[in-house]
Amino acid sequence: MSTKSPNFRSSILRKSWLDVLAVIAWGILFIKYTIDGTLYILIHPSYFTLATVTGICLIIVGLLQGWRLYSSTSQPLEVQHVNLLPQWLTTMLLLGTAIAGLIITPRLFTSHTAIQRGVSPAEAVTVTRKQTQSFRSTIKPESKTLVDWVRTLNNYPEPDAYTGQKVNIKGFVLHPKELPNNYLTIARFVITCCAADAYPVALSVKFTGDRLTYTQDSWLQVKGKMITETLNGKRQLVILATELQPTSAPKNPYQD
């Protein structure tokens, strides 16, 4: 095909406009995720500003490219004969992914993902990845989040040290098959950069009733006190619940 062929020129122009649409679509996607709070389940809050600025920049770049392309449509197009198929596929992939992101709402991780990534309901106080955290003894027990409790146990894992301390935490429900029906596991994910590196932490909860009352993956506010029990041959810190209150997932499911 000659580089002067009208069909070839038309193909180049169509691809260029699709490139513009792809860039703008990705910018809009970043801005949408910022506005509707979806970024909370995708990346660490430290990167929110970067994602928002990136979205704005992509939209500006896309508009400038579109204006330049519009202004040059009446001018001769100097191109070399190349195979456009790989470039078309790349552009369509980028555009299609952005459109899919605008249509499909990302979902929170579930108990299935937690178990896949290493939470064992029978050994719920075990963290699945080593973290170097300071021991924050100044936090009142009832003010600690689930993540705070697990980090505290990492620094000083003797469960008897915490017996009787008040607990008020939030997390999603797992049903530990290895434990009696009056036990459930309350879990959260911790994120350091993005959802790809999120890892689960959890604690066992003992209460009066049947865990089937609380649907797996539903969120609970758990109030009670800490006790020490031996579960499956291992001494563990367990929450003796006095109140299990169904609640909604927090805006920030990783850090709240």
Side-chain angles (χ1 to χ4, degrees):
M1 179 185 298
S2 170
T3 57
K4 298 181 180 180
S5 168
N7 290 335
F8 188 79
R9 174 187 171 85
S10 178
S11 181
I12 287 287
L13 287 175
R14 286 197 300 270
K15 182 196 170 297
S16 298
W17 279 112
L18 283 178
D19 287 340
V20 169
L21 290 177
V23 171
I24 294 176
W26 273 99
I28 293 173
L29 181 63
F30 280 127
I31 299 301
K32 174 183 180 295
Y33 281 175
T34 298
I35 294 174
D36 64 16
T38 302
L39 285 181
Y40 280 103
I41 65 176
L42 295 176
I43 60 175
H44 191 278
S46 300
Y47 302 102
F48 283 6
T49 301
L50 176 61
T52 303
V53 172
T54 300
I56 295 173
C57 290
L58 286 174
I59 292 175
I60 293 174
V61 169
L63 291 175
L64 290 176
Q65 287 181 337
W67 174 253
R68 182 176 62 84
L69 187 62
Y70 175 77
S71 301
S72 63
T73 52
S74 59
Q75 300 176 7
L77 187 64
E78 297 294 335
V79 295
Q80 295 181 352
H81 180 66
V82 294
N83 183 6
L84 292 179
L85 181 58
Q87 298 180 35
W88 270 98
L89 292 176
T90 301
T91 299
M92 294 303 294
L93 178 61
L94 289 173
L95 181 58
T97 303
I99 292 174
L102 292 169
I103 297 174
I104 302 172
T105 302
R107 296 184 179 182
L108 295 176
F109 287 129
T110 64
S111 57
H112 176 71
T113 306
I115 294 173
Q116 277 189 330
R117 296 195 177 186
V119 160
S120 172
E123 299 178 1
V125 298
T126 301
V127 181
T128 60
R129 183 179 302 179
K130 293 182 179 179
Q131 293 288 311
T132 302
Q133 300 291 341
S134 60
F135 182 76
R136 297 187 291 175
S137 58
T138 58
I139 301 178
K140 293 182 179 180
E142 60 270 28
S143 299
K144 289 181 179 178
T145 65
L146 174 57
V147 176
D148 290 330
W149 274 109
V150 175
R151 287 172 175 168
T152 299
L153 285 165
N154 278 349
N155 284 276
Y156 190 72
E158 172 50 57
D160 289 344
Y162 314 102
T163 297
Q165 293 189 9
K166 294 181 180 180
V167 184
N168 184 5
I169 62 173
K170 180 187 290 187
F172 63 90
V173 175
L174 292 97
H175 292 166
K177 297 179 181 178
E178 299 86 351
L179 300 180
N181 288 336
N182 63 323
Y183 287 81
L184 57 79
T185 299
I186 199 79
R188 295 291 291 266
F189 278 92
V190 179
I191 187 172
T192 56
C193 178
C194 63
D197 64 28
Y199 62 95
V201 295
L203 286 171
S204 293
V205 179
K206 183 180 181 180
F207 64 103
T208 302
D210 190 321
R211 61 171 170 256
L212 294 179
T213 304
Y214 305 100
T215 306
Q216 189 155 270
D217 295 321
S218 62
W219 284 74
L220 290 179
Q221 188 76 40
V222 180
K223 296 181 180 180
K225 66 178 181 179
M226 288 299 189
I227 61 173
T228 300
E229 289 202 343
T230 300
L231 303 175
N232 293 335
K234 181 175 181 179
R235 292 174 66 250
Q236 294 188 23
L237 193 64
V238 175
I239 302 171
L240 180 60
T242 57
E243 182 179 341
L244 295 174
Q245 184 65 40
T247 186
S248 58
K251 182 178 180 180
N252 183 352
Y254 302 116
Q255 304 295 334
D256 284 0

